Amino acid sequence: MKRSVLLATLGGAVLAGGMASAATLDEVKARDVLNCGVNTGLAGFAAPDANGNWQGFDVAVCKALAAAVLGDATKVKYVPTTGQTRFTALSSGEVDVLARNSTWSFQRDTDLKLDFVATNYYDGQGFMVPRALGVTSATELDGATVCIQTGTTTELNLADWFRANNITYQPVNIDSNAEGEQQYLAGACDAYTTDASGLAATRAAFANPDDHIILPEIISKEPLAIAVRHGDNEWGDIVRWTFFALVAAEDYGITSANLEEQAANSQNPEVQRLLGKTDDLGAMIGLDADWAKRAIAASGNYGEIFNATIGEATPIKLNRGLNAQWTQGGLMYAPPFR
Amino acid sequence: MADTAAPADPPFRLSMLIYDRRYRGWTIQIVVFLVVMTAAAWLINNTLENLAALGKDFSFRFLGQRAGYDIPQRLIPYTADSTHLRATVVGLLNTLLVSILGCIAATVLGVVAGVLRLSNNWIVARLLTIYVEIFRNIPLLLWILVIYAIFTEALPPPNAFRGEDPAASMVLFDSIALTNRYTAIPSLHATSDPGSLSLGWGVLISWAAVAFVLAFVAAVIAHRAIRRWAKARQEETGARPTTWPISLGLYVVPAVVLWFWFGITVERPVLAGFNFAGGSNVHNALVALWLALTLYTGAFIAEIVRAGILAVSKGQTEAAYALGLRPGRTMSLVVLPQALRVIVPPLISQWLNLTKNSSLAIATGYMDLRATLGGTTLNQTGRELEAMVLMMLIYLVLSLIISGGMNIYNARIRLRER
Ligand SMILES: N[C@@H](CCC(=O)N[C@@H](CS)C(=O)NCC(=O)O)C(=O)O
């Protein structure tokens, strides 16, 4: 009997996982709400505001997608996921899409059976230390205690980088950003390491952000990308091109302010195709002609989203850097809409 | 003659499978068996189909791959270059470490608290009632978090020990530093290094440590022999020879000799760079988890002990008093040995609970089995099902070993009825 109980438990767990590769678009439409996996709370990227509404750079992707697919940017259920739970949540079908500071890596893309459809933030891993520590370079961290979130690429990079530089460290494993913040501020670790954007966002939430510095070393490539399950290519296409619509909109100067006017009057054929005036691209991905227009209307184009959530004018103060448009020397580059 | 012949069995009818008691038992068993097997087959089939639908297979090959992550607390050598299998073993050993420490401490605490709860001293009894009720009625996870948070927030960080006029200072003749990361304690080193005993798998134990352990074991054996001899003498002559100086010598003399033989030195922890070095650092994650497990399980054991003591009839105590035994001896010689029979079975389940509860370690970042195999390894490899199955098997085996061992002990102390 014991064995069958075990099996039943296991089976139950797997059953709950459910069939994952059914047509996600149909499921989302039938449900009339998009389940979007976000992080548990990282200011600027995804965090509930004072009214309990989720806001942020990653959240904007969810909104644009819900607007494109369901016609309403508010029809999103935000599912907070930790570094440990996020991919299980996605592959089990608990969320339809994951927009959560997740690095696109070979193993995740292949072995974990995920598909990273587009990078929404090009990042790299950095270190934050209290200014009072007097450290100015990560290479001076020999012997330091470092807080690190488990289940992340950053925990592997950390091990690699310290070994490559022939210095040692003591990891303190934490489960979420909030826990890391608490440990770091209590001095239980000398340094906190994660994506540089995450560091900036974490620091912005401190009582005295100026008491902490982010060290100059960037020790890895962290293309933070939007992920869907492997196998449902139609859904993957929708997510990818919805994001590209936001990037292209910035490229062509379409903003939330001039969206209607551009849709009505633009003579640029690319803009006409993007906003559904000609060619009906939407039909090719199972949506209507106005899908991209609605996506852009949700929170503006990529640049507007960036500036409003994590840009220089916000407490997080990130500059565009690698995430500028390709015309400005950045990596944001939407393939042609045709 | 024909009249006395036994009536022939009535011919078999299908309805007898249900209404005839001779067959009904079998019918039910076979039906239940078929239902269980069908359900199991369906679940397994479903699992395999779902795995196939996700494009995943079921394989333990990941255990041989490079782990790539570091583990701060480890009992055997491990680096990021080690395999996931080794990381699993490191986690398992950490689980065992905290479980064993926890079981010992919780049992001691539980027995003391259980006995004292029955104390005639009103304050003592009430205080222990409060202890038991508080710890029994608040979830363990909260206790772990609270105790860990106290360590983190209340103790100074290592760099508070720095400078001319440090904000924090070490205790016990500057040999121990309590910090919000770990407790730095002195460590022992052998100046005339005797080399190490290799246990395989890169595990080395200094011969000096082996020698100390052997000396201790030998002392225990000799000590017992002496006590047996003293008892025999007492029975023969009525006078018990004084043996404690000899026993003490048995323990102390070899230790002192070995100490000088190996030239053991005590190395104190000193602040070097960001952290203390030189001594050993006992991580707060371990201490907090151990404390929480001990206090929580100790409360349950206290209740078990109290119930066990109350189960021994009052007449036993009274008889012991009548013989002139003092209360302490009455408890240890008369009541507790009998109470043990009632105590041991539920005590086993508390030990099992403690071992399983140690998987809450992740809350403090202590890298136990759940945090290595079921945490980082699972997460970095994406092998949820395999990691979970393996982890469940390991916990199952661990529990079976504990309860098996305790059942043997239980059988030995059981009341032998004649
Ligand atoms: N990019 C890395 C790290 C991602 C990560 O976990 N980032 C943290 C810190 S920036 C985070 O988002 N934490 C928010 C949370 O815990 O919910 C990865 O994909 O493994």
Side-chain angles (χ1 to χ4, degrees), chain B residues 308-329:
Chain B
I309 293 173
L310 290 178
V312 176
S313 105
K314 192 112 188 32
Q316 299 277 339
T317 316
E318 280 161 4
Y321 286 166
L323 286 175
L325 285 183
R326 274 172 278 121
R329 306 221 90 194

Side-chain angles (χ1 to χ4, degrees), chain A:
Chain A
M1 255 334 252
K2 235 191 204 121
R3 188 177 319 160
S4 39
V5 171
L6 186 83
L7 284 174
T9 329
L10 268 183
V14 172
L15 266 190
M19 300 290 291
S21 56
T24 313
L25 176 61
D26 296 339
E27 263 176 43
V28 172
K29 277 186 173 161
R31 201 192 304 128
D32 203 28
V33 60
L34 175 77
N35 292 338
C36 200
V38 292
N39 61 44
T40 55
L42 184 64
F45 282 89
D49 65 12
N51 301 320
N53 298 320
W54 285 84
Q55 303 292 356
F57 185 74
D58 284 338
V59 167
V61 172
C62 306
K63 287 186 179 165
L65 191 57
V69 174
L70 300 173
D72 185 346
T74 62
K75 286 188 176 165
V76 187
K77 184 177 148 213
Y78 295 96
V79 181
T81 57
T82 67
Q84 295 224 28
T85 58
R86 54 184 156 168
F87 299 129
T88 318
L90 182 59
S91 53
S92 71
E94 194 185 335
V95 299
D96 305 312
V97 57
L98 191 69
R100 188 210 171 276
N101 315 74
S102 291
T103 302
W104 181 352
S105 76
F106 183 93
Q107 184 249 5
R108 288 174 177 176
D109 202 346
T110 58
D111 196 34
L112 286 194
K113 304 292 175 200
L114 307 177
D115 276 347
F116 289 85
V117 292
T119 302
N120 66 337
Y121 191 98
Y122 288 94
D123 206 351
Q125 181 175 352
F127 293 90
M128 173 164 64
V129 293
R131 199 179 283 280
L133 207 57
V135 171
T136 54
S137 154
T139 51
E140 296 164 25
L141 287 176
D142 191 9
T145 302
V146 181
C147 276
I148 175 76
Q149 195 161 336
T150 55
T152 61
T153 49
T154 49
E155 116 181 287
L156 306 179
N157 300 332
L158 178 68
D160 289 351
W161 189 81
F162 270 80
R163 278 175 46 110
N165 284 279
N166 246 323
I167 51 179
T168 61
Y169 73 104
Q170 285 284 320
V172 172
N173 296 293
I174 48 155
D175 206 26
S176 72
N177 203 46
E179 197 185 327
E181 206 177 303
Q182 185 224 338
Q183 296 279 325
Y184 170 77
L185 287 178
C189 40
D190 299 301
Y192 185 32
T193 180
T194 184
D195 306 329
S197 64
L199 291 180
T202 307
R203 182 174 65 169
F206 287 173
N208 299 311
D210 291 338
D211 292 353
H212 303 269
I213 54 170
I214 293 173
L215 299 177
E217 284 84 0
I218 295 293
I219 67 166
S220 69
K221 287 188 286 189
E222 306 289 333
L224 308 183
I226 308 162
V228 296
R229 281 180 292 280
H230 181 83
D232 188 350
N233 294 4
E234 284 72 26
W235 178 246
D237 289 343
I238 292 172
V239 180
R240 176 182 301 113
W241 287 96
T242 303
F243 175 71
F244 280 146
L246 303 178
V247 177
E250 183 183 22
D251 199 0
Y252 303 135
I254 307 170
T255 65
S256 38
N258 68 11
L259 179 63
E260 290 303 335
E261 190 241 308
Q262 288 264 12
N265 306 329
S266 175
Q267 297 305 313
N268 182 339
E270 181 93 356
V271 172
Q272 290 178 341
R273 282 190 297 270
L274 175 64
L275 298 183
K277 200 167 177 191
T278 57
D279 283 40
D280 198 8
L281 297 183
M284 300 180 195
I285 52 174
L287 301 178
D288 62 354
D290 281 342
W291 66 283
K293 206 175 137 194
R294 283 195 307 270
I296 299 164
S299 331
N301 65 36
Y302 180 82
E304 288 179 276
I305 295 172
F306 193 105
N307 292 338
T309 53
I310 54 178
E312 313 254 22
T314 67
I316 298 162
K317 298 195 182 74
L318 289 170
N319 57 24
R320 287 292 291 268
L322 288 177
N323 297 294
Q325 286 286 335
W326 63 290
T327 48
Q328 312 290 318
L331 294 174
M332 281 300 151
Y333 184 106
F337 276 78
R338 69 159 67 245

Side-chain angles (χ1 to χ4, degrees), chain B residues 180-194:
Chain B
N180 66 352
R181 299 174 190 172
Y182 44 74
T183 304
I185 56 172
S187 60
L188 302 178
H189 293 267
T191 32
S192 55
D193 186 10

